[in-house]
Amino acid sequence: MTDQPLWTPSPERAAASRMASFIDFVNERHGTAIAGYEALHRFSVDRLEDFWTAVWDFCGVIAEARGATVIADREKTPGARFFPEARLNFAENLLRHPPGPGDAILFRGEDKVRARLTHAELHAAVSRLQQALAAAGVKAGDRVAAFMPNMPETVVAMLATASLGATFTSCSPDFGVQGVVDRFGQVEPKVLVCCDGYFYNGKVVETLPRLAEIVALLPTVERVVVVPYASQAPDAAIVPRAVTLADFLAPFSPAPLRFERLPFNHPLYILYSSGTTGVPKCIVHGAGGVLLMHLKEHVLHCDVKPGDRLFYFTTCGWMMWNWLVSGLAAGATLLLYDGSPFAGGGTILFDYADAEGMTHFGTSAKFIDAMAKAGLEPARTHRLESLRAMLSTGSPLAPEGFDYVYAKVKRDLCLSSISGGTDLVACFAGGAPILPVWRGELQCRMLGMKVEVWTDEGRPVEGQKGELVCTAPFPTMPLGFWNDPGDRKYRAAYFEKYPGVWRHGDWSEVTPHGGMVIYGRSDAVLNPGGVRIGTAEIYRQVERLDEVVESIVIGQDWQGDVRVVLFVKLREGLALDAALVKRIKDTIRNNTTPRHVPAVVAQVTDIPRTKSNKIVELAVRAAVHGQPVKNVEALANPEALAQFRDRPELSA
């Protein structure tokens, strides 16, 4: 850690932020004298009811009623219910901007397709699909599934579904047949919206033959709606019960939208766990909780203002898509992208940023690292005049990633590393526009989130590694898992280790600056000689070496203990030799401890990852130990696992 922050907002910028306005709002309402983030956070967790009511009012939630009760059964975790008397509609809050000529959604599908929807066009598209879904029998409580790229029609499908009070669920079109059926088959959708294909790295990938197999295995689907994307006239006839989007909408003209106002906890989304340790868990999230949490994160933490242009590189199989689309409620124009982030020589996303005045650039730590490895320097090749914030998630952003962004992307930028997950479709720790950015740290614990780091014995600590927990209820605690009688799986997932306290599964530390460092998943923590080591501590050292493109580390059971085994993917044409192994080990030893040094370093040509681009340490560990890897359909490149089985150097 350095003695000076990498970036500090100017007094003028901090004062102009929506978080500063919110502090004034709270002080005026409650007669408090809050000054600065630390005091605001303390207020937000000590006075939960006052805080969440203030967020509701400051952000202008649209509702038929709010009710007098803010949190019912507060002492129950899980079980606390926020705003139990409220009635609202999620889509109504996202479509709050009047129909008009301003941009609502912009889209690029690599360099093949571009689209632009005004607010008037978005309202009209949602109206027609709302009517068509209602005519198909969709009503409150039904499920509508999308097997779609991150494109405007997917947002329209979600909004039309939510407007009726139905529940929306999605995954990206790169999933295989079993991966889709493992997800959608559990939640039994009535309607499936899908694309005819997609583009990736300049190639067209057709989806309709796969869809025919998928639909045959989803008996509850009564209607399949095929959206043209890879072609102008898809042959929907090859898919059972399918019609094209044009035919589905043909009987309907735009009309005033109607919104089914329902209880705060009415199911809005079903999201899925990664599924690498078994059939994916179906996580149900409520409309009001998602709306309120996302408004807080967009408006206060990301400083999204009306007219801003919000981008996040994501697919519809990752919770960041659900997070991104909520930007409409904050008044942002959504910038959507589908395809490879390295299409067009690696500059396509920054070309997009310049062309459309992007204000917020969201991506993954892996993308930032890959940019650095590729030698890209957007600060030299692009203007990025409008860009105020860069957000990173998916895995811990190494300190060197912070250095790269400020040296090679933009100097005057709020770089917010954020951390949360599908489990809460939101963040536990992230950014704040009034705080400095310290190298390697998430800026803060999020407002309203009573986040602590605990020892195994349940003792809170600072400046020491431990389990990330949340000790008070929050609005996006899942309603539960789909088809989980008695909430047995739900309770086991989060509340088993510390009864009544949410244990998230991140190995973390609270820093002296009030920020956080995430060291990786606690279930993947290495334990050689009984010393717990976060995997990110090793990754940040190994991936500093120019020869190493990427790495993955596991603990191998060995002679009654655990030894550290490191696999490295090297630059093309390089081979792992004794000299490079020594450099890798020396780099780790000199910058960490001898305990971190791997006993074995081995070369692989690919590293298995989920479809949301997260490396899968547990799957690799299972392969190394000769155990079956459950649900390989969740992986983007399951063939990579073969390299980790039966390796001579791991049995010597």
Side-chain angles (χ1 to χ4, degrees):
M1 296 179 186
T2 60
D3 293 332
Q4 296 296 321
L6 295 174
W7 176 86
T8 302
S10 68
E12 296 78 14
R13 178 165 171 170
S17 70
R18 299 188 80 179
M19 186 172 280
S21 299
F22 181 72
I23 291 174
D24 293 341
F25 179 84
V26 169
N27 284 336
E28 183 176 347
R29 169 175 286 197
H30 294 288
T32 48
I34 294 169
Y37 188 83
E38 183 181 353
L40 179 61
H41 185 267
R42 193 180 313 114
F43 168 87
S44 76
V45 296
D46 289 347
R47 297 171 62 173
L48 283 177
E49 288 87 351
D50 289 340
F51 170 72
W52 287 111
T53 304
V55 171
W56 180 300
D57 291 341
F58 184 80
C59 296
V61 171
I62 300 167
E64 180 181 297
R66 181 171 72 198
T69 305
V70 179
I71 309 176
D73 301 321
R74 179 175 171 173
E75 71 286 353
K76 294 182 180 178
T77 308
R81 294 173 295 126
F82 283 76
F83 298 101
E85 299 153 12
R87 296 185 70 84
L88 54 77
N89 184 275
F90 183 80
E92 183 177 13
N93 279 272
L94 268 63
L95 290 166
R96 64 176 66 195
H97 195 289
D103 290 331
I105 299 176
L106 308 180
F107 172 64
R108 291 194 180 190
E110 291 200 349
D111 58 352
K112 310 294 182 186
V113 179
R114 294 188 184 188
R116 186 180 299 263
L117 265 70
T118 65
H119 286 284
E121 290 167 335
L122 177 59
H123 278 248
V126 174
S127 169
R128 293 182 71 201
L129 187 54
Q130 177 191 73
Q131 296 173 67
L133 289 173
V138 174
K139 58 188 184 303
D142 287 336
R143 275 78 61 207
V144 173
F147 182 59
M148 288 283 287
N150 177 23
M151 58 191 297
E153 287 85 350
T154 318
V155 182
V156 170
M158 182 278 291
L159 292 169
T161 299
S163 72
L164 296 170
T167 302
F168 184 80
T169 189
S170 62
C171 67
S172 55
D174 54 348
F175 274 77
V177 172
Q178 194 59 50
V180 178
V181 173
D182 282 348
R183 288 159 174 77
F184 294 165
Q186 293 186 70
V187 302
E188 301 180 315
K190 181 176 281 188
V191 173
L192 174 63
V193 181
C194 54
C195 64
D196 62 337
Y198 60 93
F199 305 101
Y200 197 84
N201 217 18
K203 298 177 181 176
V204 177
V205 182
E206 295 184 359
T207 56
L208 292 184
R210 248 184 306 145
L211 273 164
E213 294 183 59
I214 290 166
V215 173
L217 297 169
L218 297 176
T220 65
V221 172
E222 298 173 8
R223 176 61 71 199
V224 180
V225 182
V226 178
V227 177
Y229 176 33
S231 66
Q232 293 298 311
D235 182 11
I238 71 171
V239 180
R241 306 184 292 283
V243 294
T244 63
L245 178 63
D247 288 342
F248 192 57
L249 299 178
F252 307 101
S253 300
L257 284 161
R258 62 182 182 87
F259 299 103
E260 190 76 26
R261 288 177 171 173
L262 295 157
F264 188 86
N265 276 335
H266 185 76
L268 169 71
Y269 288 137
I270 298 173
L271 279 69
Y272 304 95
S273 65
S274 62
T276 53
T277 56
V279 176
K281 295 185 288 288
C282 307
I283 305 169
V284 185
H285 286 291
V290 172
L291 175 66
L292 203 59
M293 186 74 91
H294 287 183
L295 278 169
K296 178 203 70 174
E297 294 188 353
H298 285 295
V299 173
L300 303 183
H301 286 277
C302 296
D303 200 32
V304 174
K305 301 173 180 176
D308 278 349
R309 300 199 159 206
L310 176 66
F311 168 80
Y312 218 103
F313 179 72
T314 182
T315 72
C316 297
W318 190 21
M319 53 93 25
M320 292 312 301
W321 181 86
N322 307 79
W323 187 92
L324 168 65
V325 297
S326 292
L328 288 169
T333 297
L334 304 184
L335 304 188
L336 309 182
Y337 177 82
D338 178 68
S340 168
F342 287 103
T347 65
I348 193 165
L349 298 184
F350 293 97
D351 297 343
Y352 195 7
D354 270 354
E356 300 297 351
M358 188 184 294
T359 57
H360 295 71
F361 187 119
T363 186
S364 66
K366 288 293 181 186
F367 176 74
I368 292 172
D369 183 61
M371 286 169 55
K373 293 282 185 184
L376 298 179
E377 298 186 27
R380 187 174 56 81
T381 57
H382 292 73
R383 301 186 310 278
L384 304 179
E385 294 166 331
S386 303
L387 195 63
R388 303 199 313 268
M390 194 167 192
L391 295 87
S392 168
T393 193
S395 58
L397 180 63
E400 292 75 18
F402 284 74
D403 298 339
Y404 169 78
V405 168
Y406 282 110
K408 305 299 183 182
V409 178
K410 189 172 183 178
R411 184 73 195 88
D412 186 16
L413 188 75
C414 185
L415 172 59
S416 296
S417 180
I418 63 178
S419 181
T422 299
D423 323 74
L424 63 155
V425 68
C427 304
F428 281 125
I434 63 174
L435 287 177
V437 175
W438 294 88
R439 186 175 187 261
E441 296 185 22
L442 289 72
Q443 286 172 281
C444 61
R445 289 170 278 187
M446 305 294 266
L447 296 173
M449 308 296 273
K450 200 167 185 180
V451 172
E452 298 177 355
V453 172
W454 281 15
T455 64
D456 283 343
E457 296 74 32
R459 178 173 56 87
V461 292
E462 295 191 4
Q464 181 179 328
K465 295 166 189 157
E467 293 276 3
L468 188 154
V469 301
C470 192
T471 63
F474 52 88
T476 54
M477 277 190 175
L479 304 182
F481 294 165
W482 192 264
N483 194 23
D484 179 23
D487 287 335
R488 288 192 299 272
K489 293 179 182 177
Y490 174 44
R491 290 176 179 275
Y494 310 112
F495 302 100
E496 200 168 67
K497 181 162 185 171
Y498 308 112
V501 172
W502 178 291
R503 169 188 170 267
H504 192 56
D506 278 347
W507 192 240
S508 312
E509 181 180 350
V510 177
T511 73
H513 306 123
M516 294 198 78
V517 177
I518 309 293
Y519 294 101
R521 296 293 296 167
S522 52
D523 57 7
V525 161
L526 309 171
N527 201 21
V531 177
R532 299 184 76 179
I533 296 170
T535 54
E537 299 175 69
I538 294 176
Y539 296 142
R540 68 165 290 207
Q541 303 305 328
V542 178
E543 292 172 15
R544 292 165 67 180
L545 301 173
D546 287 340
E547 296 93 334
V548 179
V549 174
E550 197 173 21
S551 61
I552 192 165
V553 64
I554 64 153
Q556 183 191 14
D557 295 338
W558 190 254
Q559 297 178 354
D561 196 357
V562 172
R563 67 175 183 175
V564 178
V565 176
L566 175 70
F567 299 96
V568 292
K569 177 182 176 181
L570 303 180
R571 288 186 183 275
E572 191 171 349
L574 296 183
L576 186 68
D577 57 18
L580 182 52
V581 169
K582 184 177 186 302
R583 282 191 64 213
I584 290 170
K585 290 186 175 184
D586 287 348
T587 299
I588 295 170
R589 180 182 290 105
N590 294 339
N591 292 285
T592 56
T593 74
R595 289 278 188 191
H596 290 70
V597 178
V600 178
V601 181
Q603 184 176 359
V604 291
T605 59
D606 199 8
I607 290 174
R609 62 189 66 253
T610 66
K611 293 182 186 294
S612 57
N613 208 35
K614 295 181 181 180
I615 61 174
V616 285
E617 292 144 330
L618 296 184
V620 167
R621 188 178 189 281
V624 164
H625 287 91
Q627 300 164 352
V629 177
K630 298 177 181 178
N631 200 10
V632 293
E633 282 283 343
L635 301 181
N637 54 340
E639 66 283 353
L641 283 170
Q643 298 183 71
F644 298 88
R645 299 185 188 277
D646 302 321
R647 295 190 67 116
E649 63 266 59
L650 299 185
S651 57

